[in-house]
Amino acid sequence: MPIQVNTSVVGKEYPPFPVTVERGKIKDFARAIGDLNPFYLDDRVGAASEWGDVIAPPTFAVTFRDERADAGALLRDLGVDIARVLHGEQEFEIVRQLTPGETYLCRTKVVDIYEKTGKSGPMAFVVRETAITDRTNEIVATMRNVMVIRL
Amino acid sequence: MKYAKVSFEDVTVGDELPPLHKGPIEQIQLTRYAGASGDFNPIHQDDAFARAAGMGGVFAHGMLSMGFVAQALTDWAGVGTVRKLGVRFAALVRLRDVVTCRGRVLAKSSKDDVHTVELEVWAENQRGEKVVSGRATLALAARA
């Protein structure tokens, strides 16, 4: 019996949460990927760069999490166990580079839920968008996440 | 050359990115990526959990492979060039897989001194199966 997903979650906006980018977090993230680019890892290279500091790799914003607004909160709302979840799609739009010491505000919203039947059976697709803004409320980056739930 | 920066004029539609080979994927890298990203889903760490979930064992975070694709782009074009990167996770990456990231220039355009390049990007495993496929938009500097 396929499970039911609570589709009334569409349109839900999660509580905005602030994130301050830590220098060490950028470096740990780059090293975990095995990307040893000195613009992420070497403070002197960063200081001499056009950004005046190291910058974060393109996918770094995925580390911006808050337990009231993350995948765990979404799964509770959907009534779905984490063992059923796969990452379907991900997109980043980057307007400005993320740099250490900066504080950003993240706002996540559920924009769509739809069902499809694939090779491995029925699946639900949950689409979330996260807008990342700076202190002056300018958009710095956006993320779009498609979570796949095996029903 | 590693950490090169390409100029807009040097890019031609049809150009291919230098392939970036990553792996073989080890469990320790998935544990490290969990810590660095904050994604502690046990399906990437605990083989018994992943089997019980019907996944046939542990597999890599999709975001790790997406990080590899981003690296292929920045190794070629330079850091700070990626304006947009969107991917679909087409197949699972397993322990001991080798992931090769590739890309091809689809289009070039210039508007108001912003020079952008559109690419198709993908990653494949050692059997040539696509594990990631997507599109990227880079903003490149023009030669002075």
Side-chain angles (χ1 to χ4, degrees):
Chain A
M1 261 296 278
I3 60 158
Q4 294 292 316
V5 169
N6 175 14
T7 55
S8 72
V9 179
V10 174
K12 176 164 181 172
E13 294 182 31
Y14 284 89
F17 61 95
V19 175
T20 302
V21 173
E22 293 170 40
R23 185 173 302 276
K25 267 295 235 184
I26 290 178
K27 297 179 184 185
D28 284 349
F29 187 78
R31 288 194 187 102
I33 292 167
D35 186 346
L36 305 182
N37 197 306
F39 287 90
Y40 307 144
L41 295 176
D42 188 327
D43 292 334
R44 289 197 306 188
V45 169
S49 75
E50 63 187 275
W51 303 281
D53 204 340
V54 294
I55 60 173
T59 63
F60 181 76
V62 78
T63 68
F64 292 177
R65 287 170 196 275
D66 182 275
E67 61 184 17
R68 294 170 308 147
D70 66 4
L74 174 67
L75 291 175
R76 283 192 294 278
D77 288 341
L78 293 169
V80 169
D81 189 273
I82 195 169
R84 292 183 176 272
V85 169
L86 294 168
H87 197 169
E89 297 173 30
Q90 183 73 33
E91 185 178 282
F92 295 86
E93 278 196 66
I94 299 165
V95 180
R96 277 206 347 254
Q97 302 303 315
L98 303 170
T99 52
E102 288 295 320
T103 298
Y104 304 102
L105 194 69
C106 304
R107 290 185 185 86
T108 297
K109 184 179 180 179
V110 180
V111 296
D112 196 13
I113 299 180
Y114 54 93
E115 292 186 12
K116 270 200 288 201
T117 297
K119 286 176 296 208
S120 48
M123 296 180 289
F125 295 74
V126 182
V127 185
R128 281 175 297 163
E129 287 177 357
T130 301
I132 301 166
T133 50
D134 66 11
R135 288 172 191 276
T136 62
N137 210 27
E138 293 280 324
I139 194 93
V140 173
T142 58
M143 290 189 279
R144 185 172 172 278
N145 174 300
V146 181
M147 176 190 275
V148 178
I149 297 161
R150 296 177 294 137
L151 297 175
Chain B
M1 193 176 80
K2 210 160 184 202
Y3 310 129
K5 228 175 155 74
V6 293
S7 297
F8 183 69
E9 293 88 340
D10 297 331
V11 176
T12 305
V13 172
D15 281 356
E16 295 203 4
L17 291 192
L20 175 67
H21 307 285
K22 302 290 280 189
I25 302 297
E26 309 269 3
Q27 181 64 61
I28 189 71
Q29 185 167 26
L30 305 188
T31 303
R32 196 170 183 182
Y33 188 79
S37 70
D39 181 351
F40 292 98
N41 187 338
I43 216 151
H44 307 301
Q45 310 297 330
D46 180 338
D47 206 58
F49 180 94
R51 285 180 192 283
M55 301 311 295
V58 158
F59 57 95
H61 305 79
M63 286 307 304
L64 178 61
S65 298
M66 190 175 192
F68 296 161
V69 170
Q71 182 184 350
L73 290 166
T74 53
D75 278 1
W76 174 66
V79 296
T81 54
V82 178
R83 289 292 170 272
K84 192 169 178 176
L85 176 59
V87 303
R88 190 173 69 83
F89 301 106
L92 300 179
V93 172
R94 299 286 186 177
L95 299 180
R96 288 172 291 284
D97 279 359
V98 175
V99 177
T100 299
C101 303
R102 301 180 186 277
R104 185 183 296 121
V105 176
L106 296 176
K108 292 176 68 175
S109 62
S110 294
K111 192 182 167 199
D112 302 332
D113 276 346
V114 179
H115 308 291
T116 56
V117 172
E118 293 283 332
L119 299 102
E120 60 173 328
V121 291
W122 68 97
E124 56 198 34
N125 63 19
Q126 63 278 12
R127 291 180 298 279
E129 297 157 350
K130 268 190 192 176
V131 293
V132 175
S133 66
R135 294 280 286 258
T137 305
L138 307 185
L140 301 182
R143 271 200 299 268

mmCIF file of all heavy atoms in Angstrom, chain A residues 73-90:
data_model
loop_
_atom_site.group_PDB
_atom_site.id
_atom_site.type_symbol
_atom_site.label_atom_id
_atom_site.label_comp_id
_atom_site.label_asym_id
_atom_site.label_seq_id
_atom_site.Cartn_x
_atom_site.Cartn_y
_atom_site.Cartn_z
ATOM 1 N N ALA A 73 12.045 18.997 9.431
ATOM 2 C CA ALA A 73 10.785 19.702 9.698
ATOM 3 C C ALA A 73 9.781 19.416 8.579
ATOM 4 O O ALA A 73 8.591 19.172 8.827
ATOM 5 C CB ALA A 73 11.043 21.207 9.818
ATOM 6 N N LEU A 74 10.266 19.405 7.342
ATOM 7 C CA LEU A 74 9.401 19.123 6.193
ATOM 8 C C LEU A 74 8.828 17.705 6.296
ATOM 9 O O LEU A 74 7.630 17.492 6.078
ATOM 10 C CB LEU A 74 10.189 19.296 4.893
ATOM 11 C CG LEU A 74 9.454 18.889 3.616
ATOM 12 C CD1 LEU A 74 8.279 19.823 3.349
ATOM 13 C CD2 LEU A 74 10.402 18.879 2.430
ATOM 14 N N LEU A 75 9.698 16.740 6.640
ATOM 15 C CA LEU A 75 9.242 15.341 6.712
ATOM 16 C C LEU A 75 8.195 15.159 7.804
ATOM 17 O O LEU A 75 7.244 14.394 7.619
ATOM 18 C CB LEU A 75 10.445 14.412 6.937
ATOM 19 C CG LEU A 75 11.400 14.311 5.757
ATOM 20 C CD1 LEU A 75 12.622 13.481 6.118
ATOM 21 C CD2 LEU A 75 10.692 13.700 4.550
ATOM 22 N N ARG A 76 8.358 15.886 8.918
ATOM 23 C CA ARG A 76 7.326 15.824 9.965
ATOM 24 C C ARG A 76 6.001 16.356 9.427
ATOM 25 O O ARG A 76 4.941 15.769 9.650
ATOM 26 C CB ARG A 76 7.775 16.614 11.200
ATOM 27 C CG ARG A 76 8.814 15.875 12.052
ATOM 28 C CD ARG A 76 9.020 16.540 13.406
ATOM 29 N NE ARG A 76 9.614 17.864 13.293
ATOM 30 C CZ ARG A 76 10.933 18.100 13.145
ATOM 31 N NH1 ARG A 76 11.778 17.081 13.077
ATOM 32 N NH2 ARG A 76 11.387 19.329 13.066
ATOM 33 N N ASP A 77 6.066 17.459 8.691
ATOM 34 C CA ASP A 77 4.841 18.044 8.131
ATOM 35 C C ASP A 77 4.197 17.121 7.099
ATOM 36 O O ASP A 77 2.974 17.070 6.972
ATOM 37 C CB ASP A 77 5.147 19.392 7.470
ATOM 38 C CG ASP A 77 5.456 20.468 8.501
ATOM 39 O OD1 ASP A 77 5.085 20.281 9.682
ATOM 40 O OD2 ASP A 77 6.060 21.485 8.122
ATOM 41 N N LEU A 78 5.047 16.439 6.335
ATOM 42 C CA LEU A 78 4.531 15.560 5.280
ATOM 43 C C LEU A 78 4.042 14.232 5.843
ATOM 44 O O LEU A 78 3.285 13.512 5.200
ATOM 45 C CB LEU A 78 5.626 15.271 4.243
ATOM 46 C CG LEU A 78 6.110 16.445 3.390
ATOM 47 C CD1 LEU A 78 7.374 16.042 2.626
ATOM 48 C CD2 LEU A 78 5.030 16.887 2.408
ATOM 49 N N GLY A 79 4.529 13.877 7.050
ATOM 50 C CA GLY A 79 4.217 12.585 7.634
ATOM 51 C C GLY A 79 4.981 11.454 6.965
ATOM 52 O O GLY A 79 4.427 10.376 6.714
ATOM 53 N N VAL A 80 6.251 11.704 6.637
ATOM 54 C CA VAL A 80 7.057 10.751 5.871
ATOM 55 C C VAL A 80 8.341 10.421 6.632
ATOM 56 O O VAL A 80 8.956 11.294 7.238
ATOM 57 C CB VAL A 80 7.403 11.345 4.483
ATOM 58 C CG1 VAL A 80 8.456 10.514 3.770
ATOM 59 C CG2 VAL A 80 6.143 11.459 3.625
ATOM 60 N N ASP A 81 8.731 9.144 6.584
ATOM 61 C CA ASP A 81 9.969 8.690 7.217
ATOM 62 C C ASP A 81 11.166 8.966 6.299
ATOM 63 O O ASP A 81 11.071 8.818 5.077
ATOM 64 C CB ASP A 81 9.868 7.182 7.477
ATOM 65 C CG ASP A 81 11.021 6.675 8.320
ATOM 66 O OD1 ASP A 81 12.075 6.337 7.743
ATOM 67 O OD2 ASP A 81 10.881 6.667 9.552
ATOM 68 N N ILE A 82 12.286 9.320 6.915
ATOM 69 C CA ILE A 82 13.483 9.700 6.142
ATOM 70 C C ILE A 82 13.984 8.548 5.258
ATOM 71 O O ILE A 82 14.603 8.774 4.213
ATOM 72 C CB ILE A 82 14.598 10.225 7.086
ATOM 73 C CG1 ILE A 82 15.677 10.952 6.278
ATOM 74 C CG2 ILE A 82 15.190 9.098 7.927
ATOM 75 C CD1 ILE A 82 16.669 11.734 7.115
ATOM 76 N N ALA A 83 13.692 7.304 5.641
ATOM 77 C CA ALA A 83 14.171 6.154 4.866
ATOM 78 C C ALA A 83 13.559 6.104 3.462
ATOM 79 O O ALA A 83 14.061 5.416 2.585
ATOM 80 C CB ALA A 83 13.866 4.855 5.618
ATOM 81 N N ARG A 84 12.468 6.859 3.238
ATOM 82 C CA ARG A 84 11.810 6.859 1.917
ATOM 83 C C ARG A 84 12.312 7.957 0.987
ATOM 84 O O ARG A 84 11.856 8.087 -0.147
ATOM 85 C CB ARG A 84 10.296 7.070 2.105
ATOM 86 C CG ARG A 84 9.620 5.922 2.779
ATOM 87 C CD ARG A 84 8.119 6.152 2.868
ATOM 88 N NE ARG A 84 7.465 4.996 3.448
ATOM 89 C CZ ARG A 84 7.031 3.954 2.734
ATOM 90 N NH1 ARG A 84 7.160 3.936 1.429
ATOM 91 N NH2 ARG A 84 6.459 2.931 3.343
ATOM 92 N N VAL A 85 13.250 8.784 1.487
ATOM 93 C CA VAL A 85 13.584 10.027 0.786
ATOM 94 C C VAL A 85 14.822 9.885 -0.098
ATOM 95 O O VAL A 85 15.811 9.274 0.286
ATOM 96 C CB VAL A 85 13.823 11.138 1.841
ATOM 97 C CG1 VAL A 85 14.437 12.366 1.208
ATOM 98 C CG2 VAL A 85 12.512 11.483 2.534
ATOM 99 N N LEU A 86 14.729 10.457 -1.285
ATOM 100 C CA LEU A 86 15.899 10.600 -2.167
ATOM 101 C C LEU A 86 15.978 12.061 -2.599
ATOM 102 O O LEU A 86 14.973 12.771 -2.612
ATOM 103 C CB LEU A 86 15.746 9.721 -3.414
ATOM 104 C CG LEU A 86 15.753 8.212 -3.188
ATOM 105 C CD1 LEU A 86 15.308 7.498 -4.459
ATOM 106 C CD2 LEU A 86 17.135 7.746 -2.765
ATOM 107 N N HIS A 87 17.182 12.489 -2.969
ATOM 108 C CA HIS A 87 17.352 13.845 -3.491
ATOM 109 C C HIS A 87 17.164 13.771 -5.001
ATOM 110 O O HIS A 87 17.930 13.096 -5.688
ATOM 111 C CB HIS A 87 18.754 14.348 -3.130
ATOM 112 C CG HIS A 87 18.904 15.819 -3.247
ATOM 113 N ND1 HIS A 87 19.999 16.492 -2.775
ATOM 114 C CD2 HIS A 87 18.099 16.764 -3.789
ATOM 115 C CE1 HIS A 87 19.858 17.789 -3.009
ATOM 116 N NE2 HIS A 87 18.719 17.978 -3.631
ATOM 117 N N GLY A 88 16.141 14.442 -5.495
ATOM 118 C CA GLY A 88 15.828 14.340 -6.913
ATOM 119 C C GLY A 88 16.572 15.355 -7.771
ATOM 120 O O GLY A 88 17.206 15.011 -8.771
ATOM 121 N N GLU A 89 16.444 16.611 -7.379
ATOM 122 C CA GLU A 89 17.075 17.690 -8.154
ATOM 123 C C GLU A 89 17.539 18.775 -7.192
ATOM 124 O O GLU A 89 17.012 18.916 -6.082
ATOM 125 C CB GLU A 89 16.072 18.329 -9.128
ATOM 126 C CG GLU A 89 15.536 17.394 -10.184
ATOM 127 C CD GLU A 89 14.421 18.040 -10.999
ATOM 128 O OE1 GLU A 89 14.434 19.280 -11.172
ATOM 129 O OE2 GLU A 89 13.537 17.294 -11.438
ATOM 130 N N GLN A 90 18.490 19.568 -7.666
ATOM 131 C CA GLN A 90 18.961 20.710 -6.879
ATOM 132 C C GLN A 90 19.438 21.792 -7.828
ATOM 133 O O GLN A 90 20.074 21.503 -8.843
ATOM 134 C CB GLN A 90 20.110 20.291 -5.960
ATOM 135 C CG GLN A 90 20.632 21.389 -5.054
ATOM 136 C CD GLN A 90 19.676 21.723 -3.922
ATOM 137 O OE1 GLN A 90 18.970 20.853 -3.421
ATOM 138 N NE2 GLN A 90 19.634 22.981 -3.515
#
